[in-house]
Amino acid sequence: MSGLFVFAACLCLPVFVAAKTLIFTYQCARPDFLQLQCKALKKFCQDDYELVVFDDASNVAYSHYYKQICHQYGARYEKVDPSIHTYAYLERYPGEMFDHPSVRNANVVEYSLRLLGREHRDMLFLLDGDVVPAKPFSLSSWMGSHNV
């Protein structure tokens, strides 16, 4: 399936019970990437899905753009609670910086799973903020009957 996605990898966590596929994406500094994602998902994703955008922007203007884009494309908008970056939201090694980009990313993914993902009873697709589908795809066909 090479060439299916541009820029980065993704992770699928399916649980097969009748519900709509959720696609989580994480944004903090590139509203233009979110718009590209929304357009590409609408064009290429062959499954019934709900896109949920987790906004971790510290810039209020970016958050405003994310809200507008979500409204325009019918995506669900969730503002990440910024306090998760001020303490050890996840277990950390001694001396690890809470504000390191990798730590922030892990915190936001865990936040999304705690908020909406763990109770969802169908496929859950985690899509990094700079991943843009480049051709038609079906998550349900791709995953088949695999329960990862």
Side-chain angles (χ1 to χ4, degrees):
M1 298 201 59
S2 88
L4 177 60
F5 295 99
V6 180
F7 298 120
C10 59
L11 170 69
C12 281
L13 302 170
V15 180
F16 295 99
V17 178
K20 186 183 284 191
T21 297
L22 285 180
I23 300 176
F24 289 178
T25 189
Y26 308 94
Q27 300 290 333
C28 66
R30 295 294 304 260
D32 56 327
F33 279 6
L34 177 58
Q35 191 156 32
L36 288 172
Q37 275 187 331
C38 289
K39 286 180 181 178
L41 285 168
K42 187 173 185 151
K43 181 176 181 177
F44 295 125
C45 186
Q46 299 169 341
D47 298 287
D48 187 23
Y49 68 90
E50 178 183 2
L51 179 63
V52 183
V53 176
F54 288 89
D55 169 13
D56 189 35
S58 55
N59 181 318
V60 175
Y62 287 163
S63 291
H64 176 74
Y65 291 133
Y66 292 137
K67 285 180 191 176
Q68 284 184 323
I69 294 166
C70 287
H71 179 73
Q72 179 182 356
Y73 289 95
R76 180 173 173 174
Y77 173 85
E78 293 288 342
K79 178 65 180 159
V80 174
D81 179 356
S83 72
I84 68 169
H85 302 301
T86 61
Y87 62 92
Y89 186 68
L90 294 171
E91 187 175 333
R92 297 289 169 216
Y93 296 108
E96 192 171 12
M97 298 182 313
F98 295 159
D99 208 37
H100 187 277
S102 296
V103 173
R104 287 183 68 92
N105 185 281
N107 284 343
V108 173
V109 170
E110 179 64 23
Y111 177 87
S112 71
L113 292 173
R114 288 181 187 184
L115 184 67
L116 299 173
R118 293 207 170 119
E119 300 302 318
H120 186 65
R121 296 294 172 235
D122 199 346
M123 284 198 297
L124 171 57
F125 187 67
L126 307 180
L127 193 62
D128 201 32
D130 58 359
V131 176
V132 180
K135 66 181 183 181
F137 68 98
S138 168
L139 298 170
S140 55
S141 294
W142 186 27
M143 294 305 296
S145 62
H146 301 286
N147 190 354
V148 179

